[in-house]
Amino acid sequence: NTDYMIASPKNVANAAYSQTVQLDFNHILSRLNITVKKGPKLAAIAATYPDDAKLNIVDIEVRDMISKGTFDEKGATVGNTAAAATYGRWTRTTDKVTYNACVADASDVTETPIYVLQSLIIPQPAAYQAINRDGSSDETAPYIYIEYQIGTSTSTASAETYKAYINLAAAFGKSTGEVAFNEGWQNTLNLTIDVDAIEFDPQVYKWDNGDSKDFPIE
């Protein structure tokens, strides 16, 4: 997590040699931020049943990100502004890394977002891939693993545990293509965990008549 930077070119006139010269440094890495908060439905339940609607984040991992690469300052054009930057000056290896979120303070998540991950990463594309939420897919693109509990935080036995696997580009709203992690960019993913009620529509059927018989017992 070393923040590598390079200075922008600076032409200094002879008349300015005795003055302080301002140098502007630019990030050449990208950054991924993740926040998490409780959704409105779960918050509404918590207002009446606080123990039953506690949200505890057990684990969040960003898996299969490229971990190594080389940078060529004279490589592909990245534009004149950070907004026009790309990941083109980086040549990436096939080495992978898993970024682990810090969930120590996420044992009772509220409606206020909290940061669980802020990590510098090698600039790279993260491709969209349709995967199964239960983890049964063969993931080839970066993806998120999340594990959380809903229920009282004082007893893990009384809390239900949920797990999900989500393609990273899909989490950023992509259904094709990729999400770009460019030089000097920070991409922020805000996770909202909520619940859907299971609604029942009970129907009571009338009794039908079977055999009826008088039987004397003497």
Side-chain angles (χ1 to χ4, degrees), residues 41-213:
K41 295 178 182 179
L42 192 57
I45 296 172
T48 306
Y49 305 101
D51 285 341
D52 295 331
K54 287 186 180 294
L55 174 60
N56 173 40
I57 307 300
V58 179
D59 192 16
I60 295 178
E61 298 176 0
V62 182
R63 299 177 176 176
D64 284 358
M65 298 291 287
I66 298 297
S67 63
K68 296 180 181 179
T70 56
F71 176 77
D72 181 2
E73 186 176 356
K74 296 181 179 179
T77 301
V78 296
N80 296 322
T81 65
T86 71
Y87 49 78
R89 293 196 289 185
W90 282 87
T91 301
R92 293 162 298 280
T93 69
T94 57
D95 298 270
K96 301 291 184 67
V97 66
T98 293
Y99 294 104
N100 297 283
C102 180
V103 297
D105 297 326
S107 60
D108 191 4
V109 178
T110 67
E111 305 96 292
T112 301
I114 60 171
Y115 280 93
V116 293
L117 180 71
Q118 289 181 304
S119 187
L120 296 169
I121 63 175
I122 297 293
Q124 61 190 276
Y128 170 80
Q129 179 190 12
I131 64 174
N132 299 326
R133 290 176 64 90
D134 63 1
S136 59
S137 303
D138 182 15
E139 294 88 358
T140 59
Y143 66 98
I144 299 170
Y145 168 75
I146 181 170
E147 181 178 343
Y148 59 95
Q149 295 175 332
I150 296 178
T152 175
S153 61
T154 58
S155 173
T156 55
S158 62
E160 290 193 66
T161 300
Y162 303 87
K163 301 177 182 179
Y165 298 76
I166 305 164
N167 172 260
L168 183 58
F172 275 97
K174 303 292 184 179
S175 56
T176 58
E178 64 184 40
V179 59
F181 292 90
N182 295 326
E183 289 181 35
W185 283 27
Q186 62 172 354
N187 292 355
T188 301
L189 182 62
N190 301 306
L191 300 177
T192 300
I193 298 178
D194 215 340
V195 295
D196 278 325
I198 301 175
E199 298 181 356
F200 295 92
D201 182 18
Q203 299 291 328
V204 178
Y205 290 90
K206 296 180 180 179
W207 292 108
D208 201 357
N209 294 321
D211 291 340
S212 178
K213 178 67 176 179

